[in-house]
């Protein structure tokens, strides 16, 4: 049912999935950024999901093979996703896509990249506005690895707390030195943390998410040497939760999926609150029995009904656009 083609947008490898059936009107286009901690994954890994998405929602799906860490550090992955998206938005007519109906979508690290790309494009007047963003258990901040979800789910597969910090450091620096400081929270000076407290704080997490084994964490200060190595964690292109309100207010309609048993759950909850506080329409779907990476187990030997529910909700949102 699909034409599938490998191309390059600028220098970025992409795989395009186009429905074969003729369409009376222009289709919607979906830019898809895969997960894998900025280190793993690629076009092959997400082949099934992209085919499913293109078929089910009758959209043109563009899967982006961005450069991976640690060989290619931040901002390589972000720049590849941004450049591929801009290229597509400027050339939608080649693919029968409505320029006013382009959506960015990603899971995990891909959700991080989708949020960063959406923020960057929000202020651009030379391009059509993005129609929506779909963020599937995204990682959106690196200030606090002791939020309730990080404590509660520290040892839940497929993403352990220590791994989450390790991947972020690999993406940022190409190595994981200062992992201990990042985990305990002594990597960012207190004054900077307090400055972002209005956005990144357990106080912004609804109480019902704190009942399962959460202890408030003592704020620690940072040495200048450690902060020097990780200060780019305060850049919104790396940690989209830290973008200014003026940017957040311009964001398009958003779908956020979170899982109860996921260290990144609270990143999604905090972003949901920020968007809602700034008047952005948010569709939130929470998998009470879900865990990180559940979408990857989609129609595999390892398949979970809650993963299917999550996917159905994403498809419903897509079709509503």
């Amino acid at each position: 049912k699909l034409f599938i083609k490998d191309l390059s947008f600028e220098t970025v490898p992409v795989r395009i999935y186009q429905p074969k059936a003729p369409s009376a009107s222009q289709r919607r286009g979906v830019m898809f950024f895969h997960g894998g901690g900025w280190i793993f994954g690629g076009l092959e890994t997400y082949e099934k999901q992209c085919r499913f998405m293109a078929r089910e929602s009758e959209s043109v799906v563009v899967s982006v093979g961005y450069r991976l860490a640690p060989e290619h550090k931040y901002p390589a992955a972000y720049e590849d996703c941004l450049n591929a998206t801009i290229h597509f938005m400027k050339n939608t007519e080649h693919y029968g896509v409505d320029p006013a109906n382009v959506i960015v979508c990603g899971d995990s690290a891909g959700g991080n990249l989708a949020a960063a790309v959406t923020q960057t494009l929000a202020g651009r007047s030379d391009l059509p506005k993005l129609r929506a963003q779909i963020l599937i258990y995204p990682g959106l901040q690196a200030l606090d690895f002791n939020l309730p979800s990080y404590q509660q789910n520290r040892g839940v597969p497929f993403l352990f707390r220590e791994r989450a910090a390790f991947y972020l450091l690999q993406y940022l620096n190409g190595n994981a030195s200062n992992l201990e400081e990042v985990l305990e929270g002594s990597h960012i000076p207190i004054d900077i943390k307090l400055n972002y407290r209005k956005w990144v704080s357990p106080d912004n997490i609804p109480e019902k998410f704190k009942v399962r084994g959460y202890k408030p964490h003592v704020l620690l200060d940072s040495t200048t040497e450690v902060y020097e190595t990780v200060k780019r964690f305060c850049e919104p292109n790396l940690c989209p939760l830290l973008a200014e309100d003026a940017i957040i207010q311009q964001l398009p309609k958003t779908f956020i999926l979170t899982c109860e048993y996921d260290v990144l759950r609270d990143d999604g909850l905090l972003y949901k609150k920020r968007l809602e506080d700034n008047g952005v329409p948010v569709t939130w779907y929470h998998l009470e029995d879900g865990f990180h990476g559940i979408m990857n187990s989609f129609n595999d030997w390892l398949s979970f009904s809650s993963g299917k529910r999550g996917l159905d909700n994403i498809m419903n949102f897509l079709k509503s656009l």
Side-chain angles (χ1 to χ4, degrees):
K1 293 183 180 174
L2 301 171
F3 293 115
I4 300 175
K5 198 172 182 183
D6 287 349
L7 293 171
S8 284
F9 282 178
E10 311 295 332
T11 56
V12 185
V14 298
R15 183 169 292 170
I16 302 192
Y17 303 81
Q18 283 179 282
K20 284 182 177 174
S23 173
S25 56
Q26 292 178 308
R27 296 189 187 278
R28 69 180 79 74
V30 180
M31 296 297 298
F32 181 79
F33 311 139
H34 67 79
W38 303 276
I39 295 177
F40 311 109
L43 301 176
E44 303 301 330
T45 337
Y46 280 76
E47 176 79 14
K48 278 183 181 165
Q49 281 97 318
C50 290
R51 286 183 187 209
F52 178 83
M53 203 184 292
R55 274 200 319 268
E56 279 297 296
S57 69
E58 298 180 333
S59 306
V60 174
V61 174
V62 180
S63 183
V64 179
Y66 57 83
R67 287 171 292 167
L68 298 174
E71 294 76 16
H72 302 283
K73 302 195 284 277
Y74 168 78
Y78 156 75
E79 285 175 348
D80 285 357
C81 292
L82 178 64
N83 291 336
T85 304
I86 291 171
H87 179 93
F88 184 65
M89 291 172 87
K90 287 180 173 171
N91 294 282
T92 46
E93 72 282 359
H94 296 321
Y95 308 101
V97 167
D98 177 357
N101 206 356
V102 175
I103 297 105
V104 295
C105 172
D107 71 315
S108 195
N112 166 283
L113 295 165
V117 165
T118 304
Q119 289 183 1
T120 304
L121 294 175
R124 293 271 298 246
S125 53
D126 57 325
L127 291 167
K129 290 266 176 245
L130 284 171
R131 180 77 178 88
Q133 60 176 343
I134 296 173
L135 311 177
I136 304 165
Y137 35 70
L140 299 169
Q141 60 86 32
L143 259 56
D144 190 349
F145 288 88
N146 291 286
L147 289 167
S149 61
Y150 268 112
Q151 292 187 27
Q152 295 159 344
N153 306 308
R154 59 191 313 137
V156 178
F158 290 97
L159 184 62
F160 303 127
R161 173 173 172 263
E162 198 169 295
R163 287 273 108 182
F166 173 83
Y167 293 147
L168 262 159
L169 281 166
Q170 290 279 349
Y171 178 38
L172 174 66
N173 290 329
N175 65 56
S177 56
N178 304 123
L179 180 62
E180 286 313 309
E181 290 87 347
V182 168
L183 285 168
E184 70 179 16
S186 63
H187 61 307
I188 305 281
I190 281 187
D191 56 333
I192 295 177
K193 269 190 271 204
L194 290 174
N195 186 34
Y196 288 121
R197 197 111 176 126
K198 56 187 183 289
W199 301 330
V200 182
S201 163
D203 300 346
N204 293 345
I205 306 289
E207 285 306 315
K208 66 173 183 178
F209 291 106
K210 296 180 194 169
V211 289
R212 200 164 47 84
Y214 164 65
K215 291 188 179 65
H217 187 70
V218 181
L219 271 187
L220 300 175
D221 211 347
S222 166
T223 63
T224 314
E225 299 83 64
V226 172
Y227 177 57
E228 273 307 306
T229 66
V230 299
K231 63 181 180 194
R232 297 186 80 184
F233 275 161
C234 296
E235 293 180 13
N237 290 341
L238 182 59
C239 294
L241 196 49
L242 307 185
E244 292 300 323
D245 283 345
I247 301 287
I248 300 283
Q249 284 155 13
Q250 299 179 61
L251 295 177
K253 203 178 220 188
T254 300
F255 180 99
I256 298 176
L257 182 134
T258 52
C259 293
E260 180 57 37
Y261 299 99
D262 178 6
V263 288
L264 299 182
R265 179 197 71 200
D266 293 352
D267 284 24
L269 294 177
L270 291 172
Y271 204 47
K272 169 183 179 282
K273 181 181 187 320
R274 283 216 63 198
L275 295 175
E276 289 172 344
D277 288 351
N278 282 282
V280 177
V282 178
T283 302
W284 172 54
Y285 191 70
H286 183 64
L287 290 173
E288 293 286 354
D289 50 353
F291 52 86
H292 193 85
I294 197 164
M295 296 300 166
N296 299 38
S297 59
F298 153 70
N299 83 18
D300 248 339
W301 57 274
L302 184 69
S303 196
F304 296 88
S305 60
S306 57
K308 180 76 174 79
R309 285 202 313 279
L311 209 54
D312 288 345
N313 271 274
I314 293 166
M315 289 307 116
N316 292 341
F317 176 78
L318 252 184
K319 290 175 189 170
S320 74
L321 298 171

